[in-house]
Amino acid sequence: MTPLPQQISSAAVGVLVRIASMLADLWPQYGLTIFTPRLELRLPREEELAELAHLAGRGVHRANERPFLTPWTDGSPQDRARFVLQAHWGQLGGWSATAWRLGLGVFRAGDPLGVVTLRARDYPVVREVTTSAWLGIEHQGKGYGTEARIGLLTLAFDHLDARAALTEVFQDNHASQGVSRKLGYEWDGISVDARGDEAVVSDRLRLTRERWIQEKRAPVRVDGMASCRPLFGL
């Protein structure tokens, strides 16, 4: 006879599978998954969202750095975790075909590493997307950020028919600058923002479809896109 804990585990797995199927039927983005050589990018379920929130609470950059406009080092770990929850729920609740934000959890072998976000306004006309990302500090420096961005850009260019992808990077954020340049982004002007009580300059960077298709990359698979197209205004 199968031990009771395994019986409970099997039943729980069956319930989770059914819930996931119902969610994907009602909200097709839950069926959208991007597979890179090491990573899986998809909307997190509630228990996974809690894990991602706690991951952010433990830190997404060193205390003596400020590479994001989001003040990740302000407040308590609980404050940072709650910010992740609110951002995720707000993106889902505010979704429309003309103004959307897709925040995907980054997972390796089921373990949460961070979040990558693809967003757009007036997408059916403009066909431009903007990317952003954060990783838990313990997962940085291992190439996961670059690999996750390639997965996100594959979705944008190869499945959403984007003309260009944009990002903004502080001029003193050398690591992110290097990743963007390596992927083919080119300088597209500057922007000035308030970072606390100082004005900081960011480089606006643009990656065009023409530049994207020139580069060879590891294969990326995107599942579940067909049912999502109307939700992206396509």
Side-chain angles (χ1 to χ4, degrees):
M1 178 180 291
T2 304
L4 184 58
Q6 291 185 17
Q7 292 177 339
I8 295 173
S9 176
S10 298
V13 169
V15 170
L16 291 174
V17 169
R18 289 195 296 274
I19 291 173
S21 178
M22 287 188 290
L23 277 174
D25 287 341
L26 296 170
W27 196 264
Q29 297 96 318
Y30 273 105
L32 179 63
T33 307
I34 303 169
F35 299 94
T36 70
R38 296 183 295 173
L39 307 175
E40 185 177 318
L41 280 57
R42 55 179 171 75
L43 282 180
R45 304 311 190 256
E46 289 300 298
E47 67 279 2
E48 295 170 331
L49 178 60
E51 291 183 70
L52 285 164
H54 285 299
L55 179 65
R58 295 196 296 272
V60 302
H61 62 78
R62 297 182 185 88
N64 62 343
E65 296 177 345
R66 180 76 185 273
F68 304 107
L69 279 178
T70 302
W72 286 106
T73 52
D74 291 354
S76 67
Q78 290 78 15
D79 292 330
R80 296 192 289 272
R82 289 175 184 138
F83 173 81
V84 172
L85 298 178
Q86 288 181 301
H88 178 78
W89 293 329
Q91 289 170 18
L92 295 182
W95 189 286
S96 76
T98 57
W100 45 262
R101 294 171 64 97
L102 180 67
L104 300 178
V106 180
F107 300 92
R108 185 182 185 197
D111 294 328
L113 308 184
V115 171
V116 291
T117 301
L118 191 71
R119 66 183 187 273
R121 283 190 173 276
D122 300 314
Y123 188 73
V125 177
V126 177
R127 295 296 177 96
E128 292 186 347
V129 298
T130 300
T131 65
S132 57
W134 63 264
L135 292 179
I137 195 166
E138 62 261 46
H139 303 301
Q140 296 172 16
K142 302 174 183 178
Y144 298 141
T146 301
E147 188 171 327
R149 176 120 59 114
I150 290 172
L152 206 59
L153 291 171
T154 299
L155 173 66
F157 286 115
D158 297 353
H159 298 269
L160 294 174
D161 309 318
R163 297 191 185 107
L166 314 175
T167 191
E168 293 192 6
V169 186
F170 291 148
Q171 291 182 332
D172 59 2
N173 188 345
H174 303 297
S176 185
Q177 286 270 0
V179 169
S180 296
R181 307 282 184 179
K182 180 180 178 180
L183 292 176
Y185 285 80
E186 298 175 304
W187 190 78
D188 191 43
I190 64 169
S191 62
V192 181
D193 297 286
R195 183 170 63 180
D197 57 359
E198 65 172 335
V200 293
V201 178
S202 295
D203 285 324
R204 291 201 311 264
L205 304 174
R206 175 185 294 267
L207 176 62
T208 63
R209 168 181 287 278
E210 291 74 22
R211 188 69 183 270
W212 168 259
I213 62 178
Q214 291 174 5
E215 302 294 330
K216 292 184 178 180
R217 302 172 190 85
V220 173
R221 189 177 96 233
V222 177
D223 289 353
M225 183 60 213
S227 58
C228 293
R229 288 183 66 83
L231 296 167
F232 288 97
L234 302 174

